[in-house]
Amino acid sequence: MSEPNRFLALFDQVVDQTIAFAELVDRAGYAAVPVDTPALFLGTRVDKIAIGALVRHLLLAEAHWFEQVRDVSPGGVIPFPSNAAALEGIPDGAPLLETYRRSYAERRSQLEALTEADLTKEIVFAGRRYTVIGFLWTVLGHHSFHLGQIDLLMRQQGIEPPEYMEWPEDQRVLG
């Protein structure tokens, strides 16, 4: 299995698992901030760490990054996502998760179309240099980091999330 296919196989699983986690939460739980401290402020991208905010952050950041890696010139800088207004009016719960599913399906097909030249070109994000494939692995780490936060927020609300790494996919070798 090629490295891009390994990446896609594993990223598919964390997206599916994130959605499976979030499907267990009622709409009120999406906004719950169990312990409200200034440390929960994540700047302009996420105002308060809550399940709904994290799902929106993942959706928007990944859509932005996956489009950028395709379009950025070699050596080019990928800006921070600044598209939070794109999800205004989409309620938490099933409508948000359906938006995430659609967005990921669209971006996934763009990732499948990346060539070897695309994957090995150097890019810059947050002042650090990456190859595109290296950046994509970093995006997987970013997603997993926030999935852990969603897990903790669910547990603080008395909701037991599915077991991590018991991926929905069980018929093929991953990675």
Side-chain angles (χ1 to χ4, degrees), residues 23-168:
E23 286 176 330
L24 297 176
V25 180
D26 65 23
R27 284 192 56 199
Y30 271 68
V33 180
V35 179
D36 193 3
T37 72
L40 290 177
F41 179 74
L42 290 179
T44 59
R45 294 182 304 281
V46 177
D47 182 33
K48 292 284 184 183
I49 298 175
I51 292 168
L54 289 168
V55 171
R56 281 177 165 74
H57 173 66
L58 289 170
L59 189 167
L60 292 170
E62 291 163 6
H64 171 76
W65 289 331
F66 293 162
E67 287 179 4
Q68 290 288 312
V69 297
R70 180 195 63 198
D71 297 339
V72 70
S73 299
V77 176
I78 293 178
F80 282 99
S82 61
N83 52 351
L87 296 180
E88 286 179 10
I90 298 176
D92 287 334
L96 178 61
L97 297 180
E98 185 52 37
T99 300
Y100 192 12
R101 280 187 187 95
R102 272 194 322 273
S103 175
Y104 180 63
E106 291 169 17
R107 301 310 176 267
R108 190 186 191 288
S109 65
Q110 293 171 346
L111 293 174
E112 288 175 329
L114 294 175
T115 66
E116 183 65 24
D118 293 327
L119 294 167
T120 57
K121 77 179 166 186
E122 286 192 17
I123 58 171
V124 177
F125 179 73
R128 287 154 188 87
R129 293 179 4 188
Y130 297 89
T131 61
V132 166
I133 192 67
F135 183 69
L136 292 175
W137 284 114
T138 302
V139 172
L140 176 68
H142 172 264
H143 189 110
S144 298
F145 175 79
H146 289 311
L147 179 57
Q149 292 174 319
I150 291 170
D151 177 281
L152 180 61
L153 290 168
M154 289 175 68
R155 291 173 191 278
Q156 289 178 337
Q157 295 179 59
I159 304 166
E160 187 172 337
E163 288 296 321
Y164 182 67
M165 291 179 23
E166 290 185 7
W167 311 118

